[in-house]
Amino acid sequence: MSTSPHRFGHIALLGPPNAGKSTLLNALLGQKLAIVSPKPQTTRNQLAGILTLGDAQIVLIDTPGVHVPRGSRLNSRIVEAAWQALAQAQAIVLVLDCPFYLQKPDLLEKDIKLLSRPVERSGLPVIVALNKLDALADVKNMLPVMARLGEAWPGAEIVPVSALKEKGLDQLLSVMTAHLPEGDSLYPEDELTTAPMRFLASEIIREKLFLALSQELPYNTAVAIEHWQDTPKGARVNAVIYVSRDRHKGMVIGKGGKVLKDVGSKARQDLIELMGGPVHLELFVKVREGWTEDEFFLNELGEEQ
Ligand code: GDP
Ligand code: MG
Ligand code: K
C-alpha cells in the first residue's frame, strides 16, 4: 500500500487590490484572520496563516495588493511587502476578480502585465484562483477570461472559486498541496498564524476604522497597541489610533464620541472571538503629522514587515 508523502511549504497569495486575497485566506483557514473591507489597500502588511491538512501543512502568505507604488513612503512599503512574500514561497496563487474583468477587459490586460514581472522574476509555479464566481450572471461568462489567463501563464492551473461563498476551495487546496515539496510540518496543528496577537489586534481595529470612516481618511490612520496585559479577568488592551491631521481627530472620534465608541465595540467583539475570552479595550486618538512619510515611525509600527 502506498501513501502519499506529507508536504510542507509556503504559498503567496498575490493579486490586485480588492480581488479577495484576504477573504480567501480566511475562508481557507476557516477563521477570520486577515481583515477585509471593500476599500483597496486594507492589507498593509503581509500576514501568514497556517493551514494544517491531513497530508500537508501550508503557510499561506496574504499580501497587500500589487499596484504601482505612488505617493507616500507607506505606499511603496506596501508594495515591497508583497515582493518579500515571494522570496519565501514555493508557489504563487494569483487571486483575480473575474466579474471585474468582464466589466473592464482592458484592466485584465493591465493586471496581467503588472503581475507578469514579479511572477517571472520569482520563477515560481503559478496557480490562478479566479475569484467571485458567485457574482457572475452565468458561470460560462468566465471562459474567455480563463482562456486569456491560460495564454498569459501557460501551464498554470486555473481554479474558479468563490472565497465569499466558499466554493471551489477543496479543488484549490489539492492543487496547492501538489505544488509543495515533501516535508514535515513546522508548526503545531492548532497554530493559526505566525503573527503576534498584538499585531492581529491592531489589524482588527484598523479594519473597523476602514469600515467606519469614509473616503481617504482610513489611509491616513495607523493603530499601535500601547499596552497589553493578560489578567485573570481577561486581556486589558490600550490602543492608539494615529491620524495625520488635527481635523481628522474629530472625524475619528465622531459626534459625542459615537464613531470611536462604535469602532471600539466592534473591535472588542472580534477580539473576544480571536482570544476566546473577555477583553477590555480602550482606544485613544492622537495626531502625528506626516506619519505616512516618517521612516522611523513606520519602522516602529512594523509597516515594513
Ligand atoms: P483583498 O484586497 O484582495 O485582500 O480583498 P478583500 O478580501 O479585502 O475583499 C475585497 C472585497 O471583495 C470585499 O468587499 C469582499 O467581501 C469581496 N469579496 C471577496 N471575495 C469575494 C467573492 O468570492 N465573491 C464576492 N461577491 N465578493 C468577494
Ligand atoms: Mg487584503
Ligand atoms: K480590500
Side-chain angles (χ1 to χ4, degrees), residues 14-276:
L14 201 70
N18 269 356
K21 298 175 293 298
S22 298
T23 306
L24 182 62
L25 175 67
N26 292 337
L28 290 170
L29 289 176
Q31 185 167 340
K32 182 165 162 179
L33 181 67
I35 65 175
V36 173
S37 96
K39 296 190 172 73
Q41 291 180 54
T42 310
T43 309
R44 281 184 195 155
N45 300 70
Q46 57 162 271
L47 175 64
I50 303 163
L51 194 61
T52 303
L53 309 166
D55 55 352
Q57 188 173 63
I58 309 176
V59 183
L60 276 170
I61 311 169
D62 186 16
T63 65
V66 172
H67 62 109
V68 182
R70 180 175 35 141
S72 71
R73 217 176 268 283
L74 174 67
N75 241 325
S76 53
R77 277 162 182 257
I78 289 173
V79 178
E80 266 169 43
W83 292 167
Q84 278 171 20
L86 296 187
Q88 306 166 28
Q90 279 84 51
I92 296 173
V93 171
L94 285 181
V95 183
L96 301 172
D97 181 336
C98 187
F100 179 76
Y101 294 136
L102 287 172
Q103 272 176 7
K104 305 195 167 164
D106 45 323
L107 287 188
L108 173 60
E109 294 308 317
K110 211 175 139 206
D111 284 349
I112 287 175
K113 223 168 150 188
L114 200 61
L115 291 164
S116 287
R117 262 241 312 240
V119 166
E120 236 164 72
R121 210 189 312 161
S122 74
L124 295 172
V126 172
I127 301 155
V128 178
L130 194 54
N131 194 24
K132 308 199 185 181
L133 272 198
D134 60 284
L136 293 177
D138 184 342
V139 269
K140 282 204 291 287
N141 295 350
M142 73 179 167
L143 295 176
V145 178
M146 279 180 93
R148 180 64 192 104
L149 292 170
E151 249 170 53
W153 288 289
E157 273 172 279
I158 303 173
V159 187
V161 299
S162 166
L164 193 68
K165 304 282 185 209
E166 308 193 359
K167 292 274 157 39
L169 301 187
D170 286 344
Q171 168 70 10
L172 182 62
L173 280 176
S174 73
V175 172
M176 289 194 316
T177 303
H179 278 86
L180 294 180
E182 287 179 29
D184 294 332
S185 294
L186 194 64
Y187 301 97
E189 61 179 286
D190 59 351
E191 204 148 304
L192 196 66
T193 180
T194 58
M197 207 50 117
R198 273 174 174 250
F199 171 72
L200 296 177
S202 67
E203 286 288 283
I204 285 172
I205 297 164
R206 237 161 44 72
E207 177 187 65
K208 303 312 170 197
L209 285 168
F210 260 90
L211 296 171
L213 301 172
S214 58
Q215 293 170 4
E216 292 297 303
L217 190 47
Y219 300 110
N220 291 304
T221 61
V223 176
I225 305 296
E226 281 221 324
H227 181 74
W228 184 299
Q229 192 186 6
D230 290 309
T231 77
K233 283 190 192 154
R236 303 187 69 85
V237 182
N238 290 0
V240 177
I241 298 165
Y242 286 99
V243 294
S244 56
R245 296 215 176 85
D246 207 39
R247 65 188 174 84
H248 290 163
K249 191 172 170 179
M251 293 160 85
V252 170
I253 293 169
K255 254 199 194 117
K258 192 182 174 311
V259 175
L260 192 64
K261 219 180 276 168
D262 201 40
V263 165
S265 73
K266 287 187 173 140
R268 200 176 138 262
Q269 230 32 61
D270 277 18
L271 280 171
I272 289 170
E273 215 162 287
L274 181 72
M275 313 207 358

